Amino acid sequence: MKTIMQDIAKLAQVSPGTVSNALNNRKGVGKETKERILKIAEELGYFKTQKKSEDKIIRMIKFKKHGYILSDTPFFSKLIESCERTCRNSGYELLITQVEAGKDTKEDIQKIFTQKRVDGILLLGTEMEEEDFSEFENLNIPMVVVDTYFKAKDCDFVLINNDRGAYLATKYIIDRGIKDIGYIGSTVDISNFKCRKEGFFQSMKEHNLEVHEENMYKVEPTTDGAYRDFKEILSNENIKLPKALFAFNDIIALGAIKAMNEKGIKIPEDVSIVGFDDIPFSDMINPPMTTVRVDVERLGKVSINRLIEKIEEEDEGKLKVQISTDIVERKSVI
């Protein structure tokens, strides 16, 4: 399709963008120019090709590396719902395919896009590391990567403002007069968690507060895993928890809270805790958990809209878009 568009532009002596505007009946194209473009498009069989390819397809690739993060959680369910809704409202169909690291080769990935025509790729890269990205380079299909970011890669990225969210969560704790603060991180290191760790340390540094190594905990980033691992941490007779903890996400926080409750540690009287994501369960526990709200619906909508923009306007520019976060104040901080 792109080749036909370029041929039309060449014969009409206009830019591909002008051709796209004329064919999609957008403003900004003169009457004579538009008629000339439509005539050339008819002669080149553009409209016949369009009729055969009237189904507009966006394929979401869920890249799975270990499965600890990218699972059936409220966060990802809501993200996919937002993507599907935005596609539907724009006349696109969203197809979802899972790709597993170490199992699917580059050839397998390329087959996904050659077996059925695809207009654009939405790559859900939450579990992806930079070296994994090479499998998706040079596909010659418009692509937007969502929920991760790699500085060295020339691509469109839409993601959460992770470092700012963590910075604000830590500042929220500090502003309540608490200085003895630690974090509960993840045994699985993903880009989002690295950024949240940076935001935590930045906030502590700016307030001239030290983070003691014994207050930096790591657990498996699943509810059961976080509960099991934090229960193991609490089994140490010499453990002395800090007065507050920042958890890298709500799943981790919920598992840790369960372990602390069983140990008789009261939230927030003994230990305050702040999570990240604002999943539905964070408001249902006792006490309701203070957390960082992520506008997941907007994350999906902006990702799809940017991809459609790249498809329809043949926009080859590259953008990094960060979705802002805010604090949801509940009862888990003293």
Side-chain angles (χ1 to χ4, degrees):
M1 186 62 65
K2 190 171 181 179
T3 303
I4 295 177
M5 295 277 279
Q6 289 171 340
D7 289 342
I8 295 170
K10 187 176 180 180
L11 290 169
Q13 297 182 328
V14 296
S15 69
T18 300
V19 172
S20 178
N21 288 338
L23 295 176
N24 289 286
N25 200 29
R26 298 192 189 101
K27 295 179 181 179
V29 184
K31 183 179 178 181
E32 290 184 8
T33 303
K34 183 177 180 180
E35 288 176 354
R36 185 168 75 253
I37 290 170
L38 293 175
K39 186 173 184 290
I40 293 169
E42 179 70 33
E43 291 170 353
L44 292 180
Y46 171 84
F47 297 110
K48 291 179 182 178
T49 306
Q50 278 286 86
K51 193 171 182 180
K52 290 177 183 177
S53 307
E54 58 188 7
D55 292 333
K56 297 186 289 185
I57 306 294
I58 287 176
R59 189 173 290 273
M60 172 186 275
I61 300 295
K62 295 170 64 178
F63 185 85
K64 185 177 180 181
K65 187 145 189 149
H66 39 69
Y68 289 118
I69 312 295
L70 191 59
S71 56
D72 187 19
T73 64
F75 178 93
F76 289 109
S77 296
K78 193 171 183 179
L79 176 62
I80 291 170
E81 284 175 11
S82 175
C83 290
E84 287 179 327
R85 188 184 313 110
T86 308
C87 280
R88 188 166 58 249
N89 291 342
S90 300
Y92 284 79
E93 180 181 359
L94 182 70
L95 304 179
I96 302 173
T97 302
Q98 182 167 286
V99 169
E100 293 189 36
K103 181 178 179 181
D104 293 305
T105 65
K106 189 159 189 171
E107 289 70 30
D108 293 328
I109 292 169
Q110 287 175 335
K111 283 180 184 177
I112 295 170
F113 307 117
T114 56
Q115 287 174 349
K116 186 172 182 179
R117 187 184 60 79
V118 175
D119 294 285
I121 303 167
L122 187 70
L123 178 57
L124 183 53
T126 311
E127 294 190 358
M128 181 175 278
E129 295 180 40
E130 191 164 321
E131 58 265 28
D132 302 317
F133 191 77
S134 61
E135 304 293 336
F136 296 90
E137 292 182 297
N138 304 315
L139 290 173
N140 295 319
I141 302 171
M143 180 168 69
V144 169
V145 182
V146 61
D147 204 33
T148 195
Y149 175 67
F150 306 119
K151 289 181 181 178
K153 298 303 178 182
D154 187 27
C155 189
D156 282 75
F157 294 92
V158 181
L159 64 152
I160 303 160
N161 196 333
N162 289 288
D163 51 352
R164 181 178 181 273
Y167 176 92
L168 292 175
T170 310
K171 184 179 183 299
Y172 176 87
I173 296 170
I174 296 168
D175 287 347
R176 270 134 196 85
I178 304 173
K179 296 182 179 180
D180 183 19
I181 307 169
Y183 69 74
I184 312 177
S186 168
T187 52
V188 177
D189 222 4
I190 62 170
S191 176
N192 287 345
F193 290 163
K194 290 175 184 176
C195 291
R196 291 172 195 179
K197 183 177 178 180
E198 288 173 7
F200 169 81
F201 275 104
Q202 182 186 358
S203 191
M204 293 291 283
K205 184 179 179 181
E206 287 186 9
H207 291 85
N208 299 310
L209 295 176
E210 186 179 351
V211 185
H212 301 285
E213 189 173 348
E214 61 268 24
N215 291 340
M216 304 178 203
Y217 308 104
K218 286 187 177 182
V219 298
E220 182 182 290
T222 63
T223 306
D224 291 341
Y227 163 70
R228 179 196 65 230
D229 292 348
F230 209 71
K231 185 177 180 180
E232 178 67 24
I233 290 167
L234 295 176
S235 68
N236 184 341
E237 293 179 357
N238 299 318
I239 188 75
K240 185 181 178 183
L241 293 176
K243 294 302 294 179
L245 290 164
F246 166 60
F248 283 11
N249 69 13
D250 287 349
I251 296 290
I252 289 172
L254 291 171
I257 288 171
K258 182 181 178 183
M260 286 189 280
N261 284 339
E262 289 184 1
K263 196 74 174 177
I265 299 168
K266 296 180 181 178
I267 310 293
E269 291 86 353
D270 298 325
V271 178
S272 294
I273 189 165
V274 176
F276 200 115
D277 284 340
D278 192 29
I279 64 174
F281 301 119
S282 63
D283 192 27
M284 299 177 185
I285 61 170
N286 186 25
M289 186 169 62
T290 297
T291 185
V292 178
R293 178 189 286 125
V294 176
D295 192 343
V296 185
E297 187 168 334
R298 184 164 177 77
L299 180 66
K301 186 176 181 178
V302 171
S303 300
I304 293 295
N305 283 339
R306 175 56 184 158
L307 182 53
I308 292 172
E309 185 178 43
K310 292 180 70 67
I311 294 166
E312 296 186 354
E313 298 184 16
E314 300 188 11
D315 184 347
E316 296 184 0
K318 303 296 186 291
L319 296 178
K320 176 188 178 184
V321 181
Q322 294 191 93
I323 305 301
S324 65
T325 57
D326 58 0
I327 299 292
V328 181
E329 185 175 4
R330 294 192 179 114
K331 303 293 184 181
S332 64
V333 179
I334 202 162

